[in-house]
């Protein structure tokens, strides 16, 4: 940079050259350099950082999330793979201990809404209907009710007296149509 007198530009250049020289640091930079060389190269980044370099969360936070996701995936897969056998094939639909009350949900499916369906639930010897903390003396219940199109759940509380397999019978009559289904219940020790 030149000025009219010429000396100001030279002074400015001299001052800028003086700025290039670092102030004495009492050997700090040399000491730091020696320590860094002695420590060697840093460890290679983990697999998460190599696969996902822009990852903001720490990997230790991701492991529990990965575990939850894996558990959910297993639950969903097993829910699709495990098929409850149909009672007509002799398979057990529900299993419960003799010391407990089980709520069995009978599902009546209607293609269209039904104004009145006559329903009868019968229990064999060894199973009892349960209400208000005690067993009921009736072996069957009958009633009429409307059914909506689709699924209609009917909860039934039962208790087994002793271990064994029992068939709960569900009879439904809609007009002239009569449908009987057996639900196999297994009472186990407990």
């Amino acid at each position: 940079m030149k000025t009219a007198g010429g000396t100001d530009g030279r002074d400015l250049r001299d001052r800028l050259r003086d700025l290039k020289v670092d102030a004495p640091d009492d050997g700090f930079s040399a000491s730091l350099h020696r320590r860094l060389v002695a420590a060697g190269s840093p460890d290679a980044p983990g697999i998460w950082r190599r696969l996902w370099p822009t990852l903001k969360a720490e990997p230790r936070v991701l492991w529990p999330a990965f575990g939850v996701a894996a558990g959910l995936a297993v639950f969903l897969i097993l829910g699709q793979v495990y098929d409850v056998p149909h009672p007509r094939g002799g398979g057990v639909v529900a299993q419960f201990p003799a010391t407990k009350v089980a709520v069995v949900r009978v599902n009546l499916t209607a293609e269209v809404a039904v104004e009145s369906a006559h329903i009868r639930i019968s229990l064999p010897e060894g199973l009892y209907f349960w209400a208000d903390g005690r067993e009921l003396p009736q072996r069957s219940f009958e009633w009429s009710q409307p059914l909506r199109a689709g699924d209609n759940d009917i909860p039934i509380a039962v208790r087994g007296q002793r271990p064994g397999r029992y068939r709960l019978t569900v009879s439904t009559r809609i007009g002239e149509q009569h449908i009987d289904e057996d639900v196999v219940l297994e009472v186990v020790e407990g």
Side-chain angles (χ1 to χ4, degrees):
M1 176 180 233
K2 288 193 176 188
T3 60
T7 58
D8 289 334
R10 197 172 310 149
D11 285 341
L12 180 61
R13 276 186 252 132
D14 290 340
R15 280 193 233 152
L16 289 174
R17 270 192 216 109
D18 288 341
L19 290 177
K20 288 185 189 176
V21 178
D22 293 333
D25 61 358
D26 295 330
F28 174 77
S29 61
S31 169
L32 177 62
H33 180 67
R34 282 191 301 274
R35 284 187 295 179
L36 288 174
V37 168
S41 62
D43 294 335
I47 187 146
W48 287 111
R49 294 285 182 206
R50 283 183 279 175
L51 294 176
W52 200 353
T54 60
L55 182 67
K56 301 242 187 277
E58 286 293 318
R60 66 177 168 235
V61 175
L62 293 177
W63 283 114
F66 177 72
V68 169
L72 181 62
V74 167
F75 175 76
L76 292 174
I77 289 170
L78 288 178
Q80 294 297 319
V81 171
Y82 181 73
D83 187 22
V84 176
H86 194 272
R88 289 183 192 249
V92 175
V93 171
Q95 185 179 46
F96 58 96
T99 59
K100 303 285 183 184
V101 175
V103 177
V104 178
R105 294 191 178 280
V106 176
N107 186 354
L108 300 177
T109 304
E111 291 179 12
V112 295
V114 175
E115 193 172 308
S116 180
H118 184 77
I119 301 166
R120 177 186 173 116
I121 308 267
S122 301
L123 295 180
E125 282 295 321
L127 285 183
Y128 297 94
F129 289 109
W130 196 266
D132 297 325
R134 61 184 178 87
E135 67 183 45
L136 302 178
Q138 294 92 343
R139 306 294 325 138
S140 65
F141 277 106
E142 293 184 43
W143 72 94
S144 292
Q145 77 175 51
L147 298 177
R148 65 181 181 276
D151 292 339
N152 296 272
D153 278 343
I154 300 171
I156 302 164
V158 296
R159 185 170 181 174
Q161 189 175 33
R162 61 186 166 280
R165 286 191 177 191
Y166 303 94
R167 289 190 183 273
L168 177 143
T169 304
V170 180
S171 299
T172 309
R173 191 178 72 236
I174 303 169
E176 297 299 317
Q177 187 178 14
H178 191 79
I179 302 165
D180 288 327
E181 279 291 327
D182 289 336
V183 178
V184 179
L185 305 174
E186 184 174 8
V187 179
V188 297
E189 290 288 334

